[in-house]
Amino acid sequence: MINLIADLGAGLLTRLVQIGQALLMLLQAIFVQPKASSLPRLMQQLFVVGVQSLIIMLVSALFIGMVLGLQGYTLLSAYGSEQAVGQMVALTLVRELSPVVAALLFAGRAGSALTAEIGLMKATEQLASLEMFGIDPLHRIVAPRFWAGMISLPLLVAIFSLVGIYGGHLVAVDWLGVYSGSYWGNMQQAVDFNEDVLNGMIKALVFAFLISWIALYQGYSCVPTSQGISAATTRTVVYSSLAILGFDFILTALMFGGAV
Amino acid sequence: MATNGIINIRNVSFYRGDRVIFENLNCAIAAGKITAIMGPSGTGKTTLLRLIGGQLQPHKGQVLLFDQDIARLNRKQLNHLRARMGVLFQSGALFTDLSVFENVAFPLREHMNLSADELYNRVLLKLEAVGLRGARDLMPSQLSGGMARRVALARAVAMEPEIILYDEPFAGQDPIAMAVLQRLIKGLNSQMQLTSVLVSHDIAEACAIADQVILLGEGRVLAQDSPAALQASADPAVKQFIHGEADGVIPFHFPALPLQEELRGQSK
Amino acid sequence: MNKRWLELSVGLMMVAGLAALVALALQVSGGNMSRNAEHYAISALFENAAGLGPKAKVTMAGVIVGEVVAVGIDPHTLMAEVHMKINSQVNYISIDSSASILTAGLLGEKYIGLTVGAEDDVLVAGDVIEDTQSALVLEELISQFLLNVGDNK
């Protein structure tokens, strides 16, 4: 019994140490004086992290919007209020689904790739090699990837929402015959830019921070062997997904649930 | 024991968790020579290189590089010192997203303000020295292991360092590549008046080019001498390693209870 | 990797993302922004405020002019005290206005409708509307109806 408590304490302590290390890594990586030469590196990472995630985002957004349109229509037409489908699709997407689904896809697509890439750099001694050339790998490797994640995900979420709403339009208006004017009109009445759209963007920023942080730390601290890298990649996806869903609840409660 | 080398290790102790890697290690590496650090796997040869490169800090003792204690240097001073030192990592450690040319140009771009022509010429000369001028536009993934190591060598000497550290340069190389690397290491050392430190467990290859051998074992220096003297050594531990005997001072068996006690169904 | 193509595609992604945000602002939310605009607080006492909650609309002639902030019990009169905030531009609600709790549709949400009176003095922050009409409670309505039916026999 005492052993169990001791083990628990030791485990907790290790976790705390890890969080501390991760925080230190992040602080060192974030506060970098930008140089003229860091812009091309940021560009490169924006391409890898952002542009290369675009296709999966677009396709997912379209399908999710279409599903929402279809479900919303069948559900609402039972009460004769299928004109409200636009409002339902838009609010669901902007407040919840876009940030969460885009972030989950981002963790799977970009986060895991970041972990694997940095882990591989560690295993092939590229990080050590940079250090021997007098270059801090945190500045050179970690910082541009972190910022690329922070910039890309909110943009991707905005695109996701818009494409999803048009996906809903496609099904509800073009196929099921809801009047286009009421699709948009109801939506415009219900959606508030500050309260709904911007809150969704805030969620996206928080998720971007979490994913980038987790992915980079897992890569940077992984055991530099093939098993170590694959375990770290898995951890990135698992931890990111849990963090996204957990923080989504907290943020939703803070943003939309505090009315009473 | 000599203490006036270009690299001096003084009373260094280093631990990984509870495991002792080095306890009171003392050795010196003479300028302008090729020193081979040898020893069985797991005796901390690579750790020693990392200590010299300042990537690890000793728990006790000092590592002196050009007579400066590297633990006392700040980041800038340390990087300044590292610019005088080249490292050839075991895997080559070429940057996978850069071409061969850009890999060799990398340290020059970072640390020197060369004109485009100067840079180009210098990179080409370094690649010529390792015989890979023609491969300058290839990506690291297109190179064989031996070629990658030669490119890494060109990159390590691009800054014309005074010391070059080799981590297992011969590991996993075919005989031809090994011979090429041996020739390059030896050649570069005499041409550029380098101090070369190479970590290896390929006894024959390392002994063939080394001026001095430091034999590590059990966290300390077992012997430090010329290759010829070591070959003739009577010390049982030295003999076992140099001549590759399976059992000896370093036992064949991992520590265990006597076999009789461990086999099941055997009444005592 | 062609450097120009890389820069171009990154630029396109940034533009697309920002354009999407603008489209969300204009097309989706119709420029609706919950500006923290100036408003003033008034309250009203109701016999019964069933179904009314914070964020319920306050309308005048069918136009939204404010929202309910809180609903509580006034300890002196033991009536429901509804606090509202009214947009500052709407500064012409006369003091003899009445407030009624209305229902959007048969089963829809409750909201407050203001009916303007005839006085020249207008409501200012802190004023209380006395002339109120309570929420319709369906059960009461039904029992009243049944009672009336009984009487007519």
Side-chain angles (χ1 to χ4, degrees):
Chain A
M1 189 62 200
I2 290 176
N3 269 340
L4 192 74
I5 294 169
D7 283 353
L8 214 66
L12 201 68
L13 222 58
T14 331
R15 283 274 176 281
L16 280 177
V17 168
Q18 274 176 0
I19 292 174
Q21 283 173 346
L23 203 65
L24 277 178
M25 181 203 81
L26 192 71
L27 290 178
Q28 280 182 51
I30 292 179
F31 297 109
V32 186
Q33 278 179 317
K35 285 184 288 184
S37 60
S38 35
L39 192 66
R41 280 193 285 278
L42 184 62
M43 277 286 188
Q44 170 80 36
Q45 290 313 314
L46 279 172
F47 180 80
V48 173
V49 166
V51 177
Q52 294 193 342
S53 309
L54 206 53
I55 295 292
I56 187 176
M57 294 283 175
L58 292 177
V59 174
S60 315
L62 190 67
F63 280 119
I64 286 181
M66 287 165 72
V67 166
L68 282 178
L70 196 58
Q71 289 279 19
Y73 181 84
T74 31
L75 193 73
L76 291 169
S77 63
Y79 302 95
S81 48
E82 61 267 21
Q83 321 87 298
V85 69
Q87 157 184 358
M88 195 200 105
V89 169
L91 282 182
T92 323
L93 276 171
V94 167
R95 285 185 181 179
E96 272 313 316
L97 278 184
S98 294
V100 171
V101 175
L104 289 174
L105 291 172
F106 193 74
R109 171 71 184 75
S112 61
L114 280 184
T115 304
E117 188 195 12
I118 293 187
L120 204 65
M121 282 185 172
K122 189 176 181 183
T124 54
E125 297 171 304
Q126 292 183 53
L127 296 183
S129 171
L130 273 176
E131 215 178 334
M132 289 309 295
F133 286 132
I135 293 158
D136 190 341
L138 286 176
H139 292 182
R140 182 59 55 95
I141 302 296
V142 174
R145 285 165 175 78
F146 177 80
W147 287 115
M150 289 295 281
I151 295 170
S152 301
L153 187 55
L155 294 176
L156 291 172
V157 167
I159 295 172
F160 196 104
S161 292
L162 196 67
V163 172
I165 287 167
Y166 275 100
H169 186 275
L170 185 69
V171 171
V173 177
D174 299 334
W175 296 353
L176 297 173
V178 173
Y179 175 55
S180 179
S182 47
Y183 185 84
W184 293 115
N186 266 314
M187 185 189 300
Q188 287 171 359
Q189 241 174 32
V191 179
D192 183 280
F193 185 72
N194 286 353
E195 205 151 286
D196 300 316
V197 180
L198 282 193
N199 272 344
M201 288 293 123
I202 291 171
K203 280 186 176 181
L205 268 177
V206 173
F207 297 159
F209 177 87
L210 291 169
I211 298 167
S212 308
W213 185 19
I214 291 173
L216 292 170
Y217 176 70
Q218 289 299 342
Y220 200 72
S221 68
C222 77
V223 180
T225 59
S226 0
Q227 296 104 309
I229 294 171
S230 76
T233 311
T234 310
R235 274 200 302 273
T236 292
V237 177
V238 172
Y239 291 176
S240 299
S241 307
L242 290 177
I244 290 165
L245 296 172
F247 271 80
D248 183 53
F249 176 73
I250 296 171
L251 289 172
T252 305
L254 287 178
M255 289 168 174
F256 306 108
V260 184
Chain B
M1 188 167 288
T3 50
N4 51 353
I6 192 166
I7 302 168
N8 290 308
I9 312 283
R10 288 206 187 135
N11 303 321
V12 163
S13 299
F14 186 83
Y15 315 100
R16 276 197 199 283
D18 294 335
R19 209 156 71 88
V20 177
I21 307 288
F22 299 124
E23 188 74 67
N24 260 330
L25 187 75
N26 276 291
C27 61
I29 287 160
K33 298 251 169 69
I34 299 178
T35 304
I37 298 174
M38 294 202 273
S41 302
T43 46
K45 301 187 295 293
T46 300
T47 307
L48 187 58
L49 271 197
R50 298 239 150 142
L51 285 168
I52 294 172
Q55 292 183 301
L56 293 173
Q57 303 283 332
H59 292 102
K60 272 184 246 159
Q62 296 172 304
V63 177
L64 299 173
L65 210 64
F66 307 109
D67 291 324
Q68 296 180 68
D69 181 353
I70 56 171
R72 287 170 188 276
L73 300 178
N74 64 30
R75 184 132 209 117
K76 207 173 157 192
Q77 291 167 315
L78 180 62
N79 285 340
H80 190 69
L81 213 63
R82 280 172 174 168
R84 298 165 68 184
M85 186 162 48
V87 183
L88 181 69
F89 286 95
Q90 189 166 351
S91 55
L94 293 177
F95 300 124
T96 35
D97 52 343
L98 300 179
S99 70
V100 165
F101 183 92
E102 284 302 320
N103 258 291
V104 179
F106 184 85
L108 300 174
R109 284 194 204 282
E110 289 296 328
H111 292 292
M112 297 178 119
N113 265 324
L114 297 179
S115 72
D117 287 350
E118 282 175 309
L119 183 91
Y120 179 82
N121 289 340
R122 187 137 166 195
V123 172
L124 240 52
L125 284 176
K126 296 298 170 196
L127 280 173
E128 174 71 21
V130 297
L132 290 175
R133 187 162 46 88
R136 63 175 175 269
D137 294 324
L138 296 182
M139 294 304 283
S141 55
Q142 296 169 293
L143 301 175
S144 72
M147 277 156 79
R149 231 167 268 198
R150 279 151 71 188
V151 173
L153 184 54
R155 186 179 67 175
V157 296
M159 294 282 290
E160 313 207 321
E162 293 159 60
I163 299 178
I164 182 156
L165 310 176
Y166 299 91
D167 190 3
E168 300 280 6
F170 309 119
Q173 299 292 313
D174 64 67
I176 301 168
M178 256 193 220
V180 169
L181 281 166
Q182 269 181 313
R183 202 181 95 188
L184 282 173
I185 293 170
K186 186 101 186 151
L188 284 170
N189 197 71
S190 52
Q191 278 163 33
M192 300 174 65
Q193 279 109 42
L194 279 165
T195 303
S196 306
V197 181
L198 72 104
V199 154
S200 179
H201 50 223
D202 295 293
I203 307 153
E205 287 74 19
C207 284
I209 54 170
D211 299 309
Q212 185 187 222
V213 174
I214 296 174
L215 189 58
L216 294 179
E218 295 149 28
R220 61 193 176 87
V221 175
L222 290 179
Q224 175 165 11
D225 219 327
S226 69
L230 283 186
Q231 299 274 7
S233 171
D235 185 317
V238 176
K239 257 176 78 180
Q240 188 196 355
F241 181 74
I242 297 283
H243 301 289
E245 291 156 9
D247 206 355
V249 182
I250 296 162
F252 169 72
H253 287 289
F254 195 82
L257 293 171
L259 182 62
Q260 283 298 326
E261 290 175 30
E262 291 217 291
L263 288 178
R264 294 191 182 146
Q266 298 274 6
S267 55
K268 280 180 207 161
Chain C
M1 176 65 58
N2 190 332
K3 207 173 162 205
R4 279 194 68 121
W5 155 242
L6 183 144
E7 285 172 355
L8 186 73
S9 60
V10 170
L12 281 176
M13 179 193 74
M14 305 275 268
V15 170
L18 292 176
L21 203 57
V22 172
L24 287 178
L26 299 180
Q27 172 80 326
V28 175
S29 60
N32 272 350
M33 293 202 197
S34 56
R35 289 166 292 247
N36 283 330
E38 297 283 300
H39 40 68
Y40 59 99
I42 59 171
S43 56
L45 293 172
F46 290 95
E47 290 276 348
N48 190 327
L52 199 68
K55 297 221 163 181
K57 289 180 278 193
V58 177
T59 64
M60 206 169 93
V63 179
I64 299 171
V65 295
E67 65 177 46
V68 172
V69 179
V71 181
I73 293 279
D74 176 39
H76 305 297
T77 57
L78 297 181
M79 287 167 81
E81 188 179 29
V82 176
H83 297 274
M84 298 167 262
K85 56 180 187 184
I86 308 293
N87 293 346
S88 292
Q89 296 104 303
V90 187
N91 55 0
Y92 33 74
I93 307 172
S94 57
I95 51 169
D96 61 340
S97 298
S98 68
S100 29
I101 297 178
L102 305 171
T103 310
L106 191 58
L107 299 166
E109 54 172 349
K110 296 276 198 281
Y111 65 99
I112 291 183
L114 298 177
T115 313
V116 185
E119 291 275 347
D120 284 339
D121 291 337
V122 294
L123 287 170
V124 293
D127 281 353
V128 181
I129 298 178
E130 310 274 350
D131 183 5
T132 59
Q133 196 177 359
S134 290
L136 281 181
V137 179
L138 207 58
E139 292 88 331
E140 284 177 10
L141 215 64
I142 292 169
S143 61
Q144 227 166 29
F145 172 73
L146 289 177
L147 227 66
N148 286 344
V149 171
D151 284 351
N152 287 347
K153 271 190 183 164

